[in-house]
Amino acid sequence: MDVLLFIMYVYECPEPGFPNQKTVYISYLDSVRYLTPSRYRKPIYQEVVLSYLDYSKRRGFNAAHIWVCPPKKGDDYIM
């Protein structure tokens, strides 16, 4: 069985000449409370985001914007 633990929507603007050139936008983050013990969830998910930011920096991106709106109580954000 496949289990989806983490989702991250990313938009990359590598095109030169635009005001937002070389910029990465992380628009949505979501996780499922499947990983146990739960104390590992936050550090693992933070490492995923930090690893992506490091990867994008090595690819030449020089700015990143993270926008995450929390879900309403009882709703899943992406799923």
Side-chain angles (χ1 to χ4, degrees):
M1 169 176 35
D2 294 333
V3 177
L4 184 63
L5 296 176
F6 182 81
I7 296 173
M8 180 170 68
Y9 287 173
V10 175
Y11 178 70
E12 299 175 345
C13 300
E15 300 87 8
F18 292 104
N20 56 353
Q21 69 180 353
K22 304 278 187 177
T23 303
V24 172
Y25 295 91
I26 299 176
S27 300
Y28 302 99
L29 297 171
D30 197 6
S31 62
V32 177
R33 297 176 194 266
Y34 185 79
L35 191 64
T36 56
S38 61
R39 70 179 179 268
Y40 295 128
R41 287 180 67 225
K42 182 177 179 178
I44 289 173
Y45 298 149
Q46 285 178 341
E47 186 61 33
V48 170
V49 173
L50 290 174
S51 295
Y52 171 74
L53 292 173
D54 181 58
Y55 167 75
S56 62
K57 181 180 177 181
R58 286 184 279 122
R59 289 181 48 223
F61 292 95
N62 57 24
H65 298 277
I66 301 174
W67 179 85
V68 181
C69 183
K72 294 179 184 175
K73 188 174 181 177
D75 290 344
D76 287 330
Y77 195 70
I78 295 175
M79 294 176 273

